[in-house]
Amino acid sequence: MRQIFYLVRQNLKRKPFRAWMMIGGIVLACATLFVAAILSRGIQSTLQTARERLGADIVVVPADAREEALSALISGSPTSFFMPSSLEEKVRTAPGVQQTCSQVYLRSLDAACCVAQVALVGYDPVRDFTINPWVLQKTSEPLQANQLVVGAKVISALVGTPAKAIGQRLMFMGKPFSVATILEPTGLGTDYTVFLHMDMAYQMTQGSPLYPVPVKKDQISTILIKVADGMAPETVAANIEKNIPELKALTSNQLTRSFSRQLQDLVDVLFVAGGLFSLLALVLVGNLFALSVRQRMRELGLFRAMGARRSVIFQLIILEALCIAGAGGLLGVLIGFSVIWFGKDIITEMIGNMYMWPGNPYFLKAVLLTMAAALVTGILGGLYPACRISSLEPYEAIRKGE
Amino acid sequence: MIQVEALSKDYKSVRVLQGINWAIEDGAFVIVTGRSGGGKTTLLSIVGGLTRPDAGRVLIDDTDIWQLSEPDLAALRNEKLGFVFQFPSLIPTLSVLDNVLLPIAFGDKSPNLEDLKFATSLLEMVGISGKDGQYPAQLSGGQQRRAAIARAMIKRPAIILADEPTGDLDEKTEAEIMDLFQSINGQGTTIVMVTHALDYAKIGKTYTLKDSHLFPYEDSEASPRDLTRGGELRHDA
Ligand SMILES: Nc1ncnc2c1ncn2[C@@H]1O[C@H](COP(=O)(O)OP(=O)(O)O)[C@@H](O)[C@H]1O
Ligand SMILES: [Mg+2]
C-alpha cells in the first residue's frame, strides 16, 4: 500500500496543472455547498428564535390595514391602525385558539426624541404573553405606568449603550419615563419599537397633536394568539379569516419568513450553484482522469506485465482520485469557512442583525458531509476510467498506449 | 520449461497464429524472427501471460497459465517472468533505482535492504552503476534499455521475454546489449527473444514466424504445409 501511495504521489507531480484544475473544481463545489449548508442551518435557527421571541403564533390585524400592519410588524414603521376591541372576544372563541391578548400601535412624535422611526406600542403587562415573559425574565416586577420596554435597535439611538440604558430617565412625548429593560433582537419590527403600558398609551393620545381625536380603550391594533397544543397555526389563521372577514391573520412563520427572504434567496442560489459546480467538478474529474488514464495506458499495461494485479491498477486510479478529491474537499471547507468568517457582518445584516450561527456539532457535520461529497465526486470521477483500464488485457494496454 | 500446444490467435478475422507447438527447455536462449506484423509480439505476449490465446495451452513448469486466476497469473508474471520491450519502458516519474525495484512493490512487499543491494548490483552488472538516483529522461536510450533489463531481473525470474530489445538502438549498443543477454543466459536464465538482428542467430535456437506458423530458422524456406501436415512441430533446444 505504501508503494501504491508513492506511485500515486509521483504521478500527481507529473501533471500538477491538471491536478490543481481538478482540485479547483472540487474546491468551488465544496466551498459553495459548505457555505450554503451553514447559512441554511443558521436561517432555520434564526427563524426558530425569532418565532420564540415574537411569542405569538398568530398576529391578527384589521384586514383593511394589512399593508400598514405588516410594515409595522416587520420593520417597525410607526403607524396607527385600529379595530374594535370586541373582536378580541370573537377571536378568543375561535377554534384552536388557546389564549389572546391585544396591543395598540401609535405613532410617536419624531421630535420627542432623536429617533426618526420608532413605533410606540401599548401592551397589557398583566395579560400579555408575547413580550412580557422576556420582560419578567429581566425585571422581577410587571411594567409600571411610567416605564418603557425598548427594542434592541432603538436603544443605541435613544439612550446610548445598553448597559447605561436601564433605569435611565427619558422624556417621551412630553412625559418622563424610565427604561425598565431592553429586548433581545428578533429581526422583526419589535427591534424598532418602544413598548409601554397600554393604559399609558391611551392616555398619551389625549391632547397629542398627532391624535386630534384621542384613541379610546375600545380600539386596539393587533390581537396576538397562542394556539392550542397540536393545532397548526396556519389552520387556525385560515379559519379566523374565513369566519371574521374584517380580520387578517398572520402566522409567525409568515412574518419571520419575510425578513429572512433575502438570505434565504441567497442560500437557494448557493445550493443550486453548489449542485451545478458539483456536476461540473464530476465532469471535470471524470474527463481529466479518462485523459490521464489514456495517456498512461502503456505505463499501466507495463505495471501489469511486471506483476501488478488488476485490482492494484484500479486502486492506483481510485486512490489518485481520492487524493485530489480529499485535497479539494479540505481546501473547499477551509475557503468556505473563511468566506463565512469574513462575511459574517454582511450575513448578519441581511437577516435583521440576529443571525444565529449553527453550533459546533452542526459545523462538524457540515465539514464531514462536504468532505464526503468531495470524496464521492472523486470516486465517481475516477471509477469509469479505473474500471476501463483495469479490465484491459495488459497486452492491449501496452499496444494501445502511445 | 515452457510448452506451447496448438496455440491459435485471431484478431477479428485476421489469423495471426495458428496451431503453434513449441517447447523451450530451461536455460535455453531462443530467438524468434520473422517479418514485421507476423505475430511475434503476439506470440511472446501469449507465452508471457499478457494476452489470452483463442485456442491452445501455454504450460510454464507444467502450470497451464491461462487456467490461472487473474491474481495468480499476475503473481506468475511477477515471480517467474521478466519482460524487456522494444520501446522505452521505464516509468518517467520514478528514479532508475525505483524503476528497478518496481516489480518488488507489485509483489506486495516493500523492498528491503537486500533488494536494494541486489538492485544496485544489477545496475552494476548491466553497466549503469551510479545512475540509481537519476530519472529515465537523464539516460541515453541504451542506458534506459539496460535499466529495463535490470528491472526484468530484479525478481530473479526463470524466464526473460525480450521483444526486439535492440530494435531502436545503434549497432554498437545492440552488440553490448546482446552480450548482456548472453551473460544473463550464462547464469541459467531462459531467454526468449524476438529480434531481427540475425547476426546473433548463432547464440541459440532460432525460429521464424511465417504465415501464422513457427518454423526452425534453417527450415524457413520450406513450405509451411509440409511441416504442419507432418504433425507436431517440436524443437527442444
Ligand atoms: N490488439 C490487436 N488488434 C488488432 N490487430 C492486432 C492487435 N495486435 C496485433 N494485431 C495485428 O496482428 C498482426 C501481428 O502483430 P504483432 O504480433 O505485433 O506482429 P510482430 O510483432 O511480428 O510485428 C499485425 O498485423 C497486427 O496489426
Ligand atoms: Mg512486434
Side-chain angles (χ1 to χ4, degrees):
Chain A
M1 203 62 187
R2 231 185 63 217
Q3 261 69 40
I4 294 184
F5 260 116
Y6 184 68
L7 287 176
V8 166
R9 215 184 72 199
Q10 294 303 104
N11 190 57
L12 281 172
K13 281 196 221 157
R14 173 162 18 178
K15 299 264 181 207
F17 179 72
R18 190 183 290 172
W20 280 110
M21 224 161 97
M22 288 189 267
I23 291 175
I26 293 176
V27 164
L28 198 62
C30 286
T32 312
L33 287 177
F34 182 75
V35 170
I38 296 297
L39 290 187
S40 155
R41 175 61 172 234
I43 291 177
Q44 276 173 33
S45 43
T46 305
L47 293 190
Q48 175 69 26
T49 309
R51 277 193 297 273
E52 277 164 16
R53 289 182 187 167
L54 188 66
D57 298 318
I58 300 170
V59 181
V60 175
V61 299
D64 54 8
R66 182 171 176 269
E67 292 305 320
E68 285 168 280
L70 263 176
S71 82
L73 287 165
I74 289 165
S75 45
S77 353
T79 55
S80 266
F81 48 92
F82 301 105
M83 58 184 160
S85 61
S86 58
L87 283 173
E88 190 184 345
E89 194 51 41
K90 275 182 151 179
V91 169
R92 197 198 318 269
T93 53
V97 173
Q98 189 191 325
Q99 200 179 351
T100 64
C101 63
S102 57
Q103 294 180 347
V104 59
Y105 279 60
L106 302 177
R107 253 169 299 174
S108 65
L109 259 185
D110 294 355
C113 77
C114 35
V115 182
Q117 291 240 314
V118 174
L120 204 56
V121 175
Y123 77 101
D124 182 340
V126 179
R127 283 176 48 218
D128 185 90
F129 53 85
T130 61
I131 66 160
N132 225 12
W134 304 101
V135 173
L136 291 177
Q137 249 178 39
K138 298 192 173 180
T139 66
S140 43
E141 308 249 308
L143 193 79
Q144 305 296 302
N146 62 347
Q147 285 185 315
L148 299 176
V149 174
V150 187
K153 299 232 188 104
V154 176
I155 189 62
S156 52
L158 205 58
V159 284
T161 60
K164 280 199 216 151
I166 294 174
Q168 175 117 9
R169 309 211 125 257
L170 77 161
M171 296 294 286
F172 211 78
M173 288 180 86
K175 291 192 163 60
F177 287 94
S178 72
V179 175
T181 188
I182 301 150
L183 294 171
E184 296 290 334
T186 61
L188 290 168
T190 50
D191 289 355
Y192 303 93
T193 301
V194 171
F195 289 92
L196 71 170
H197 200 292
M198 211 157 179
D199 293 344
M200 200 62 185
Y202 288 117
Q203 206 180 311
M204 275 168 68
T205 62
Q206 286 171 14
S208 159
L210 281 173
Y211 294 93
V213 181
V215 182
K216 301 225 186 63
K217 288 204 173 189
D218 61 359
Q219 289 178 297
I220 55 174
S221 304
T222 60
I223 303 165
L224 302 150
I225 298 175
K226 180 179 279 182
V227 299
D229 281 350
M231 291 300 294
E234 283 70 20
T235 321
V236 177
N239 200 3
I240 289 170
E241 285 184 4
K242 206 178 92 197
N243 293 328
I244 318 171
E246 60 263 53
L247 295 183
K248 174 82 194 158
L250 304 159
T251 64
S252 60
N253 274 332
Q254 266 173 297
L255 287 169
T256 51
R257 218 178 292 133
S258 64
F259 85 93
S260 68
R261 189 172 301 136
Q262 199 189 3
L263 195 59
Q264 186 61 55
D265 286 350
L266 177 69
V267 167
D268 290 347
V269 167
L270 285 179
F271 269 125
V272 170
L276 285 178
F277 289 155
S278 300
L279 222 66
L280 214 73
L282 185 65
V283 170
L284 191 74
V285 171
N287 277 299
L288 289 183
F289 259 89
L291 178 69
S292 153
V293 162
R294 265 202 306 282
Q295 288 176 346
R296 290 178 77 196
M297 202 177 263
R298 170 167 286 178
E299 180 176 313
L300 297 170
L302 289 172
F303 286 174
R304 298 276 307 276
M306 283 181 242
R309 283 189 305 273
R310 195 169 278 188
S311 59
V312 167
I313 304 300
F314 186 83
Q315 284 168 27
L316 268 175
I317 310 293
I318 293 296
L319 205 64
E320 189 172 324
L322 283 179
C323 284
I324 282 177
L330 224 58
L331 265 176
V333 167
L334 232 68
I335 288 174
F337 199 87
S338 339
V339 166
I340 288 170
W341 183 261
F342 290 110
K344 61 179 191 277
D345 289 347
I346 300 167
I347 294 164
T348 309
E349 207 166 285
M350 284 175 85
I351 185 162
N353 273 352
M354 60 163 298
Y355 184 77
M356 305 276 153
W357 294 101
N360 289 342
Y362 186 79
F363 260 96
L364 190 70
K365 206 166 117 190
V367 169
L368 293 180
L369 278 174
T370 308
M371 286 303 295
L375 294 183
V376 165
T377 305
I379 290 178
L380 285 182
L383 201 59
Y384 179 67
C387 285
R388 246 180 57 96
I389 185 69
S390 56
S391 69
L392 274 185
E393 279 195 319
Y395 169 69
E396 281 291 293
I398 292 168
R399 201 183 121 93
K400 279 191 187 160
E402 78 251 35
Chain B
M1 175 88 178
I2 305 171
Q3 289 160 283
V4 172
E5 294 172 2
L7 206 66
S8 292
K9 177 87 177 174
D10 297 346
Y11 287 117
K12 309 227 169 70
S13 55
V14 183
R15 170 126 311 168
V16 179
L17 303 172
Q18 188 180 14
I20 299 223
N21 294 297
W22 197 17
I24 298 164
E25 290 293 337
D26 288 342
F29 196 129
V30 174
I31 288 175
V32 178
T33 185
R35 68 166 184 85
S36 178
K40 304 181 297 296
T41 299
T42 304
L43 177 61
L44 216 60
S45 299
I46 295 174
V47 170
L50 299 180
T51 189
R52 187 177 286 278
D54 295 332
R57 303 200 299 169
V58 176
L59 304 170
I60 293 179
D61 296 338
D62 298 321
T63 305
D64 186 346
I65 67 167
W66 287 107
Q67 294 294 321
L68 292 174
S69 66
E70 193 274 329
D72 288 345
L73 183 55
L76 181 130
R77 286 195 294 260
N78 185 248
E79 285 155 19
K80 287 206 167 159
L81 305 176
F83 291 91
V84 181
F85 294 94
Q86 66 188 106
F87 48 83
S89 63
L90 296 184
I91 308 305
T93 51
L94 300 178
S95 70
V96 169
L97 187 65
D98 282 342
N99 259 288
V100 172
L101 289 168
L102 205 48
I104 306 252
F106 291 136
D108 278 343
K109 158 178 169 299
S110 298
N112 56 29
L113 198 64
E114 211 173 304
D115 299 320
L116 220 66
K117 275 190 195 151
F118 185 47
T120 315
S121 74
L122 282 175
L123 287 175
E124 198 174 326
M125 191 204 96
V126 300
I128 48 167
S129 55
K131 303 280 184 197
D132 327 23
Q134 299 202 348
Y135 281 80
Q138 297 170 279
L139 268 54
S140 72
Q143 289 172 327
Q144 287 188 36
R145 198 57 41 85
R146 288 164 194 272
I149 294 169
R151 184 177 64 190
M153 294 176 66
I154 187 75
K155 297 278 297 207
R156 303 174 205 270
I159 302 159
I160 288 183
L161 302 170
D163 189 2
E164 299 189 42
T166 59
D168 56 347
L169 301 176
D170 60 74
E171 273 177 43
K172 182 171 165 284
T173 316
E174 176 171 68
E176 288 167 7
I177 301 267
M178 282 300 188
D179 284 347
L180 184 56
F181 274 110
Q182 260 184 291
S183 80
I184 293 167
N185 178 244
Q187 290 160 24
T189 308
T190 305
I191 293 188
V192 181
M193 181 188 288
V194 170
T195 184
H196 291 292
L198 289 176
D199 301 351
Y200 300 92
K202 58 189 179 296
I203 295 174
K205 188 87 195 159
T206 304
Y207 297 86
T208 180
L209 193 61
K210 194 179 172 192
D211 302 332
S212 316
H213 296 277
L214 191 67
F215 309 99
Y217 182 59
E218 47 274 21
D219 296 340
S220 65
E221 298 309 313
S223 151
R225 268 201 198 130
D226 297 345
L227 277 162
T228 40
R229 226 186 251 154
E232 281 187 59
L233 177 74
R234 174 168 290 214
H235 290 270
D236 295 348

